[in-house]
Coordinates of all heavy atoms in Angstrom, one line a residue:
M1 N 93.6 96.7 113.7 CA 93.3 97.3 112.5 C 91.8 97.4 112.4 O 91.1 96.4 112.4 CB 93.8 96.5 111.3 CG 93.4 96.9 110.0 SD 94.1 95.8 108.7 CE 95.7 95.7 109.1
T2 N 91.2 98.6 112.3 CA 89.8 98.8 112.2 C 89.4 99.0 110.7 O 90.3 99.2 109.9 CB 89.3 100.0 113.0 OG1 89.9 101.2 112.4 CG2 89.6 99.9 114.4
I3 N 88.1 98.9 110.4 CA 87.7 99.0 109.0 C 88.2 100.3 108.4 O 88.6 100.4 107.3 CB 86.2 98.8 108.8 CG1 85.8 98.9 107.4 CG2 85.4 99.9 109.6 CD1 86.4 97.8 106.5
S4 N 88.3 101.4 109.2 CA 88.8 102.6 108.7 C 90.2 102.6 108.2 O 90.7 103.4 107.5 CB 88.6 103.8 109.7 OG 89.3 103.5 110.8
N5 N 90.9 101.5 108.7 CA 92.3 101.4 108.3 C 92.5 100.4 107.1 O 93.6 100.2 106.6 CB 93.1 100.9 109.5 CG 93.3 101.9 110.5 OD1 93.2 103.1 110.2 ND2 93.5 101.5 111.8
L6 N 91.4 99.7 106.7 CA 91.5 98.8 105.6 C 91.6 99.6 104.3 O 90.9 100.6 104.1 CB 90.3 97.8 105.5 CG 90.1 96.8 106.7 CD1 88.9 96.0 106.4 CD2 91.3 96.0 106.8
Q7 N 92.5 99.1 103.5 CA 92.7 99.8 102.2 C 91.6 99.3 101.2 O 91.2 98.2 101.2 CB 94.0 99.5 101.6 CG 95.2 99.9 102.4 CD 96.5 99.4 101.9 OE1 96.6 99.4 100.6 NE2 97.4 99.1 102.7
E8 N 91.1 100.2 100.3 CA 90.1 99.9 99.4 C 90.8 99.3 98.1 O 90.8 99.9 97.1 CB 89.3 101.1 99.0 CG 88.4 101.6 100.2 CD 87.6 102.8 99.9 OE1 87.8 103.4 98.8 OE2 86.9 103.2 100.8
V9 N 91.4 98.1 98.3 CA 92.1 97.4 97.2 C 91.7 95.9 97.3 O 91.3 95.5 98.3 CB 93.6 97.6 97.3 CG1 94.0 99.1 97.1 CG2 94.1 97.1 98.7
K10 N 92.0 95.2 96.2 CA 91.8 93.8 96.2 C 92.6 93.1 97.3 O 93.8 93.4 97.4 CB 92.2 93.1 94.9 CG 91.3 93.4 93.7 CD 91.8 92.7 92.5 CE 90.9 93.0 91.3 NZ 91.4 92.2 90.1
S11 N 91.9 92.4 98.2 CA 92.6 91.8 99.3 C 91.8 90.6 99.8 O 90.6 90.4 99.6 CB 92.8 92.8 100.4 OG 91.6 93.5 100.7
R12 N 92.5 89.8 100.7 CA 91.8 88.8 101.5 C 91.7 89.4 102.9 O 92.6 90.0 103.4 CB 92.7 87.5 101.5 CG 92.7 86.8 100.1 CD 93.5 85.5 100.2 NE 93.3 84.8 99.0 CZ 93.9 85.0 97.8 NH1 94.8 86.0 97.7 NH2 93.6 84.3 96.7
I13 N 90.5 89.1 103.4 CA 90.2 89.7 104.8 C 89.9 88.5 105.7 O 89.2 87.6 105.3 CB 89.0 90.6 104.7 CG1 89.3 91.8 103.7 CG2 88.6 91.2 106.1 CD1 88.1 92.6 103.4
T14 N 90.5 88.6 106.9 CA 90.2 87.6 107.9 C 89.5 88.2 109.1 O 89.8 89.4 109.4 CB 91.4 86.8 108.3 OG1 92.3 87.7 108.9 CG2 92.1 86.1 107.2
V15 N 88.7 87.5 109.8 CA 88.0 87.9 111.0 C 88.4 86.9 112.0 O 88.0 85.7 111.9 CB 86.5 88.1 110.9 CG1 85.9 88.5 112.2 CG2 86.1 89.0 109.7
F16 N 89.2 87.3 113.1 CA 89.7 86.3 114.1 C 90.4 85.1 113.4 O 90.3 84.0 113.8 CB 88.6 85.9 115.0 CG 88.1 86.9 115.9 CD1 86.8 87.3 115.9 CD2 89.0 87.6 116.8 CE1 86.3 88.3 116.8 CE2 88.5 88.6 117.6 CZ 87.2 89.0 117.6
G17 N 91.1 85.4 112.3 CA 91.9 84.4 111.6 C 91.1 83.6 110.6 O 91.7 82.8 109.9
Q18 N 89.8 83.7 110.5 CA 89.0 83.0 109.6 C 88.8 83.8 108.3 O 88.4 85.0 108.4 CB 87.7 82.6 110.2 CG 87.8 81.7 111.4 CD 88.5 80.3 111.0 OE1 88.1 79.7 110.1 NE2 89.4 79.9 111.9
P19 N 89.1 83.2 107.1 CA 88.9 84.0 105.9 C 87.4 84.4 105.6 O 86.5 83.6 105.9 CB 89.5 83.1 104.8 CG 89.4 81.8 105.4 CD 89.5 81.9 106.9
M20 N 87.2 85.6 105.1 CA 85.9 86.0 104.7 C 85.7 85.3 103.3 O 86.5 85.5 102.4 CB 85.8 87.5 104.5 CG 84.5 88.0 104.1 SD 84.4 89.8 103.8 CE 84.7 90.4 105.5
I21 N 84.6 84.6 103.2 CA 84.3 83.8 102.0 C 83.0 84.3 101.4 O 82.0 84.6 102.1 CB 84.1 82.3 102.3 CG1 85.3 81.7 103.0 CG2 83.8 81.5 101.1 CD1 86.6 81.7 102.2
C22 N 83.0 84.5 100.1 CA 81.8 84.9 99.3 C 80.7 83.8 99.4 O 81.0 82.7 99.1 CB 82.1 85.2 97.9 SG 80.7 85.8 96.9
R23 N 79.5 84.2 99.8 CA 78.4 83.3 99.9 C 77.9 82.9 98.5 O 77.3 81.8 98.3 CB 77.3 83.9 100.7 CG 77.7 84.0 102.1 CD 76.5 84.6 103.0 NE 76.9 84.8 104.3 CZ 76.9 86.0 104.9 NH1 76.5 87.1 104.3 NH2 77.4 86.2 106.1
G24 N 78.2 83.7 97.5 CA 77.7 83.4 96.1 C 78.6 82.5 95.4 O 78.1 81.6 94.6
C25 N 79.9 82.6 95.5 CA 80.8 81.8 94.6 C 82.0 81.2 95.4 O 82.8 80.5 94.8 CB 81.4 82.7 93.5 SG 82.5 84.0 94.1
S26 N 82.0 81.4 96.7 CA 83.1 80.7 97.6 C 84.5 81.3 97.4 O 85.4 80.7 97.8 CB 83.1 79.2 97.4 OG 81.8 78.7 97.8
H27 N 84.6 82.4 96.6 CA 86.0 83.0 96.5 C 86.2 83.9 97.7 O 85.3 84.2 98.5 CB 86.1 83.8 95.2 CG 86.3 82.9 94.0 ND1 85.3 82.3 93.4 CD2 87.5 82.6 93.4 CE1 85.8 81.6 92.4 NE2 87.1 81.8 92.4
E28 N 87.5 84.3 97.9 CA 87.8 85.1 99.1 C 88.6 86.4 98.8 O 89.3 86.9 99.6 CB 88.6 84.2 100.1 CG 89.9 83.6 99.5 CD 90.5 82.7 100.5 OE1 89.9 81.8 101.0 OE2 91.7 82.8 100.7
V29 N 88.5 86.9 97.6 CA 89.1 88.2 97.3 C 88.1 89.3 97.2 O 87.1 89.2 96.4 CB 90.0 88.1 96.0 CG1 90.6 89.4 95.6 CG2 91.0 87.0 96.1
F30 N 88.2 90.3 98.0 CA 87.2 91.4 98.1 C 87.9 92.7 98.0 O 89.1 92.9 98.2 CB 86.5 91.3 99.5 CG 85.7 90.1 99.7 CD1 86.3 88.9 100.2 CD2 84.4 90.1 99.4 CE1 85.5 87.8 100.4 CE2 83.6 88.9 99.6 CZ 84.2 87.8 100.1
I31 N 87.1 93.8 97.8 CA 87.5 95.1 98.0 C 86.6 95.7 99.1 O 85.4 95.7 99.0 CB 87.4 96.0 96.8 CG1 88.4 95.6 95.7 CG2 87.7 97.5 97.1 CD1 88.3 96.4 94.4
P32 N 87.2 96.0 100.3 CA 86.3 96.5 101.4 C 86.0 98.0 101.3 O 86.9 98.8 100.8 CB 87.2 96.2 102.6 CG 88.6 96.3 102.1 CD 88.6 95.9 100.7
Y33 N 84.9 98.4 101.7 CA 84.5 99.8 101.7 C 83.7 100.1 103.0 O 83.1 99.3 103.6 CB 83.5 100.1 100.6 CG 84.1 100.0 99.2 CD1 83.9 98.8 98.5 CD2 84.8 101.0 98.6 CE1 84.4 98.7 97.2 CE2 85.4 100.9 97.4 CZ 85.2 99.7 96.7 OH 85.7 99.6 95.4
E34 N 83.8 101.4 103.4 CA 83.0 101.9 104.6 C 82.0 102.8 104.0 O 82.4 103.8 103.4 CB 83.9 102.5 105.6 CG 83.2 102.9 106.8 CD 84.1 103.4 107.9 OE1 85.0 104.3 107.6 OE2 84.1 103.0 109.0
L35 N 80.7 102.5 104.1 CA 79.7 103.4 103.6 C 79.0 104.1 104.7 O 78.9 103.6 105.9 CB 78.6 102.5 103.0 CG 79.0 101.6 101.8 CD1 77.9 100.7 101.4 CD2 79.6 102.4 100.7
Y36 N 78.6 105.4 104.5 CA 77.9 106.2 105.4 C 76.5 106.4 104.9 O 76.3 106.9 103.8 CB 78.6 107.5 105.7 CG 79.9 107.3 106.4 CD1 81.1 107.2 105.6 CD2 80.0 107.2 107.7 CE1 82.3 107.0 106.3 CE2 81.2 107.1 108.4 CZ 82.3 107.0 107.6 OH 83.5 106.8 108.3
I37 N 75.5 106.0 105.7 CA 74.1 106.1 105.2 C 73.3 107.0 106.2 O 73.4 106.8 107.4 CB 73.5 104.7 105.2 CG1 74.3 103.8 104.2 CG2 72.0 104.8 104.8 CD1 73.9 102.4 104.2
N38 N 72.5 107.9 105.6 CA 71.7 108.8 106.4 C 70.3 108.1 106.5 O 69.5 108.1 105.6 CB 71.5 110.2 105.8 CG 70.7 111.1 106.7 OD1 70.2 110.7 107.7 ND2 70.6 112.3 106.2
V39 N 70.0 107.5 107.7 CA 68.8 106.7 107.9 C 67.7 107.5 108.7 O 66.7 107.1 108.9 CB 69.0 105.4 108.5 CG1 69.9 104.5 107.6 CG2 69.7 105.5 109.9
E40 N 68.1 108.7 109.1 CA 67.2 109.6 109.8 C 66.4 110.5 108.8 O 66.6 110.4 107.6 CB 67.9 110.4 110.8 CG 68.7 109.6 111.9 CD 67.8 108.9 112.8 OE1 66.7 109.4 113.1 OE2 68.2 107.8 113.3
K41 N 65.6 111.4 109.3 CA 64.9 112.4 108.5 C 66.0 113.2 107.7 O 67.0 113.5 108.3 CB 64.1 113.3 109.3 CG 62.9 112.6 110.0 CD 62.1 113.5 110.8 CE 61.0 112.8 111.6 NZ 60.3 113.7 112.4
P42 N 65.7 113.5 106.5 CA 66.6 114.3 105.7 C 66.9 115.6 106.4 O 66.1 116.3 107.0 CB 65.9 114.6 104.4 CG 64.9 113.4 104.3 CD 64.5 113.1 105.7
G43 N 68.2 116.0 106.3 CA 68.6 117.3 106.9 C 69.2 117.2 108.3 O 69.8 118.1 108.8
I44 N 68.9 116.1 109.0 CA 69.4 115.9 110.4 C 71.0 115.7 110.4 O 71.7 116.2 111.2 CB 68.7 114.8 111.1 CG1 67.3 115.2 111.3 CG2 69.4 114.5 112.4 CD1 66.5 114.1 112.0
G45 N 71.4 115.0 109.4 CA 72.9 114.7 109.3 C 73.4 113.6 110.2 O 74.5 113.6 110.5
C46 N 72.5 112.7 110.6 CA 72.9 111.6 111.4 C 73.3 110.4 110.5 O 72.4 109.8 109.9 CB 71.7 111.2 112.3 SG 72.2 109.9 113.5
L47 N 74.6 110.1 110.4 CA 75.0 109.1 109.5 C 75.5 107.9 110.3 O 76.0 107.9 111.4 CB 76.2 109.6 108.7 CG 76.0 110.9 107.9 CD1 77.3 111.3 107.2 CD2 74.9 110.6 106.8
Y48 N 75.2 106.7 109.7 CA 75.6 105.5 110.3 C 76.6 104.8 109.3 O 76.4 104.7 108.1 CB 74.4 104.5 110.5 CG 73.4 105.1 111.5 CD1 72.4 105.8 111.1 CD2 73.6 104.8 112.8 CE1 71.5 106.3 112.1 CE2 72.8 105.3 113.8 CZ 71.7 106.0 113.4 OH 70.8 106.5 114.4
A49 N 77.7 104.3 109.9 CA 78.7 103.6 109.1 C 78.3 102.1 108.9 O 77.9 101.5 109.8 CB 80.0 103.7 109.8
H50 N 78.5 101.6 107.7 CA 78.2 100.2 107.3 C 79.5 99.7 106.6 O 80.0 100.4 105.8 CB 77.0 100.1 106.4 CG 75.7 100.4 107.1 ND1 74.9 99.5 107.8 CD2 75.1 101.6 107.2 CE1 73.9 100.1 108.2 NE2 73.9 101.4 107.9
D51 N 79.9 98.5 107.0 CA 81.0 97.9 106.3 C 80.6 96.9 105.3 O 79.7 96.1 105.5 CB 81.9 97.2 107.4 CG 82.3 98.1 108.5 OD1 82.6 99.3 108.2 OD2 82.3 97.7 109.7
I52 N 81.2 97.0 104.1 CA 80.8 96.2 103.0 C 82.0 95.8 102.2 O 83.0 96.5 102.2 CB 79.7 96.9 102.1 CG1 79.1 96.0 101.1 CG2 80.4 98.1 101.4 CD1 77.9 96.6 100.4
A53 N 82.0 94.6 101.7 CA 83.1 94.1 100.8 C 82.5 93.5 99.6 O 81.5 92.8 99.6 CB 83.9 93.1 101.5
I54 N 83.1 93.9 98.4 CA 82.6 93.4 97.1 C 83.5 92.3 96.6 O 84.7 92.5 96.5 CB 82.6 94.6 96.1 CG1 81.9 95.8 96.6 CG2 82.0 94.1 94.8 CD1 80.4 95.6 96.9
C55 N 82.9 91.2 96.3 CA 83.6 90.0 95.8 C 84.2 90.3 94.5 O 83.5 90.8 93.6 CB 82.7 88.8 95.7 SG 83.5 87.3 95.0
Q56 N 85.4 90.0 94.2 CA 86.1 90.4 93.0 C 85.9 89.3 91.9 O 86.3 89.4 90.8 CB 87.6 90.6 93.2 CG 87.8 91.9 94.0 CD 87.1 93.1 93.3 OE1 87.6 93.6 92.3 NE2 86.0 93.6 93.9
N57 N 85.2 88.2 92.3 CA 84.8 87.2 91.3 C 83.4 87.3 90.7 O 83.2 87.4 89.5 CB 85.0 85.8 91.9 CG 84.8 84.7 90.9 OD1 85.5 84.6 89.9 ND2 83.8 83.8 91.1
C58 N 82.4 87.5 91.6 CA 81.0 87.5 91.2 C 80.4 88.9 91.4 O 79.3 89.1 91.0 CB 80.2 86.4 91.8 SG 79.9 86.6 93.6
G59 N 81.0 89.8 92.2 CA 80.4 91.1 92.5 C 79.4 91.2 93.6 O 78.8 92.2 93.9
E60 N 79.2 90.1 94.3 CA 78.3 90.1 95.4 C 78.8 90.9 96.6 O 80.0 90.9 96.9 CB 78.0 88.6 95.9 CG 77.0 88.6 97.0 CD 76.6 87.2 97.4 OE1 76.3 86.4 96.5 OE2 76.5 86.9 98.6
A61 N 77.9 91.7 97.2 CA 78.2 92.5 98.4 C 78.1 91.7 99.6 O 77.1 91.1 99.9 CB 77.4 93.7 98.4
R62 N 79.1 91.8 100.5 CA 79.1 91.1 101.8 C 79.2 92.1 102.9 O 80.1 92.9 103.0 CB 80.3 90.2 101.8 CG 80.6 89.5 103.1 CD 79.9 88.2 103.2 NE 79.9 87.6 104.5 CZ 80.7 86.6 104.9 NH1 81.6 86.1 104.1 NH2 80.7 86.2 106.2
H63 N 78.1 92.2 103.7 CA 78.1 93.1 104.8 C 78.8 92.5 106.0 O 78.6 91.3 106.2 CB 76.7 93.5 105.2 CG 76.0 94.2 104.2 ND1 75.9 95.6 104.2 CD2 75.3 93.8 103.0 CE1 75.2 96.0 103.1 NE2 74.8 95.0 102.4
F64 N 79.6 93.2 106.7 CA 80.3 92.7 107.9 C 80.6 93.8 108.9 O 80.4 95.0 108.6 CB 81.6 92.0 107.4 CG 82.7 92.9 106.9 CD1 83.7 93.3 107.7 CD2 82.6 93.4 105.6 CE1 84.7 94.2 107.2 CE2 83.6 94.2 105.1 CZ 84.6 94.6 105.9
S65 N 81.0 93.4 110.0 CA 81.3 94.4 111.1 C 82.7 94.1 111.7 O 83.2 93.0 111.5 CB 80.2 94.4 112.1 OG 80.2 93.2 112.8
D66 N 83.2 95.0 112.4 CA 84.5 94.8 113.0 C 84.3 94.5 114.5 O 84.0 95.3 115.3 CB 85.4 96.1 112.9 CG 86.7 95.9 113.5 OD1 87.1 94.9 114.0 OD2 87.5 96.9 113.4
P67 N 84.5 93.2 114.9 CA 84.3 92.8 116.3 C 85.5 93.1 117.2 O 85.5 92.6 118.3 CB 84.0 91.3 116.1 CG 84.7 90.9 114.9 CD 84.7 92.0 114.0
S68 N 86.4 93.8 116.7 CA 87.6 94.1 117.6 C 87.1 94.8 118.8 O 86.2 95.6 118.8 CB 88.6 95.1 116.8 OG 89.0 94.5 115.6
D69 N 87.8 94.5 119.9 CA 87.3 95.0 121.2 C 88.4 94.8 122.3 O 89.3 94.1 122.1 CB 86.0 94.4 121.7 CG 85.2 95.2 122.7 OD1 85.6 96.3 123.0 OD2 84.2 94.7 123.1
F70 N 88.2 95.5 123.4 CA 89.2 95.4 124.5 C 88.9 94.2 125.3 O 87.7 93.9 125.6 CB 89.1 96.7 125.4 CG 90.2 96.7 126.4 CD1 91.4 97.1 126.1 CD2 89.9 96.3 127.7 CE1 92.4 97.1 127.1 CE2 90.9 96.4 128.7 CZ 92.1 96.7 128.4
D71 N 89.9 93.3 125.6 CA 89.7 92.1 126.4 C 90.1 92.5 127.8 O 91.2 92.7 128.2 CB 90.6 91.0 125.9 CG 90.5 89.7 126.6 OD1 90.0 89.7 127.8 OD2 90.8 88.7 126.0
N72 N 89.1 92.6 128.7 CA 89.3 93.1 130.1 C 90.1 92.0 130.9 O 90.8 92.4 131.7 CB 87.9 93.3 130.8 CG 87.3 94.5 130.2 OD1 87.9 95.5 130.0 ND2 85.9 94.5 130.1
E73 N 89.9 90.8 130.6 CA 90.6 89.7 131.3 C 92.1 89.8 131.0 O 92.9 89.6 131.9 CB 90.1 88.3 130.9 CG 88.7 88.1 131.4 CD 88.2 86.7 131.0 OE1 89.0 85.8 130.6 OE2 87.0 86.5 131.1
K74 N 92.5 90.0 129.8 CA 93.9 90.1 129.4 C 94.5 91.5 129.5 O 95.7 91.7 129.4 CB 94.1 89.5 128.0 CG 93.8 88.0 127.9 CD 94.0 87.5 126.5 CE 93.6 86.1 126.4 NZ 93.7 85.6 125.1
G75 N 93.6 92.5 129.5 CA 94.1 93.9 129.5 C 94.7 94.4 128.2 O 95.5 95.3 128.2
I76 N 94.2 93.8 127.1 CA 94.8 94.2 125.8 C 93.6 94.4 124.8 O 92.5 93.9 125.0 CB 95.8 93.2 125.2 CG1 95.1 91.8 125.0 CG2 97.0 93.1 126.0 CD1 95.9 90.8 124.3
F77 N 93.9 95.1 123.7 CA 92.9 95.3 122.7 C 93.1 94.2 121.7 O 94.2 94.0 121.2 CB 93.0 96.7 122.0 CG 91.8 97.0 121.2 CD1 90.7 97.6 121.8 CD2 91.8 96.8 119.8 CE1 89.6 97.9 121.0 CE2 90.7 97.1 119.1 CZ 89.6 97.7 119.7
V78 N 92.0 93.5 121.3 CA 92.1 92.4 120.4 C 91.6 92.8 119.0 O 90.5 93.2 118.9 CB 91.3 91.2 120.9 CG1 91.3 90.0 119.8 CG2 91.7 90.7 122.2
W79 N 92.5 92.9 118.0 CA 92.2 93.3 116.7 C 91.6 92.0 115.9 O 92.3 91.0 115.8 CB 93.4 93.8 115.9 CG 93.9 95.0 116.5 CD1 95.1 95.1 117.3 CD2 93.4 96.3 116.5 NE1 95.3 96.4 117.7 CE2 94.2 97.2 117.2 CE3 92.2 96.9 115.9 CZ2 94.0 98.5 117.3 CZ3 92.0 98.2 116.0 CH2 92.8 99.0 116.7
A80 N 90.4 92.1 115.4 CA 89.8 91.0 114.8 C 90.0 91.0 113.3 O 90.2 89.9 112.7 CB 88.3 91.1 115.0
L81 N 90.1 92.1 112.6 CA 90.2 92.2 111.2 C 91.7 92.2 110.7 O 92.5 93.0 111.3 CB 89.5 93.4 110.6 CG 88.0 93.4 110.7 CD1 87.4 94.7 110.1 CD2 87.4 92.2 110.0
R82 N 92.0 91.5 109.7 CA 93.3 91.5 109.1 C 93.1 91.6 107.6 O 92.1 91.0 107.0 CB 94.1 90.3 109.4 CG 94.5 90.2 110.9 CD 95.6 91.1 111.3 NE 96.0 90.8 112.6 CZ 95.7 91.7 113.6 NH1 95.1 92.8 113.4 NH2 96.1 91.4 114.8
Q83 N 93.9 92.3 106.9 CA 93.8 92.5 105.5 C 95.1 92.1 104.8 O 96.2 92.5 105.3 CB 93.5 93.9 105.1 CG 93.4 94.2 103.6 CD 93.1 95.6 103.3 OE1 93.5 96.5 104.1 NE2 92.4 95.9 102.2
Y84 N 95.0 91.2 103.8 CA 96.2 90.8 103.0 C 96.0 91.2 101.6 O 95.2 90.6 100.9 CB 96.3 89.2 103.2 CG 96.4 88.8 104.6 CD1 95.3 88.4 105.3 CD2 97.7 88.8 105.3 CE1 95.4 88.0 106.6 CE2 97.7 88.4 106.6 CZ 96.6 88.0 107.3 OH 96.7 87.6 108.6
V85 N 96.7 92.2 101.2 CA 96.5 92.8 99.8 C 97.0 91.8 98.8 O 98.1 91.2 98.9 CB 97.3 94.1 99.7 CG1 97.2 94.7 98.3 CG2 96.8 95.1 100.7
C86 N 96.2 91.6 97.7 CA 96.6 90.7 96.7 C 97.4 91.3 95.6 O 97.4 92.5 95.3 CB 95.3 90.2 96.0 SG 94.3 89.2 97.1

């Protein structure tokens, strides 16, 4: 499951089985979003995707990335992110 597949709803998110925890209040319920930011000169249209999750307790934004990747040794794709809708 990649970030583009995460639903923008209240949920618990794990990365390699470890829960994402808010650094501000230690809660673990977030709404994930994928943001596109134009960091080049205006008009070029070069957008970069950024992953962010908003804590549903204190509102702090948590930036994260999807470390999912292909495992060459095992010959399988390892999905890192999991979403558990609340």
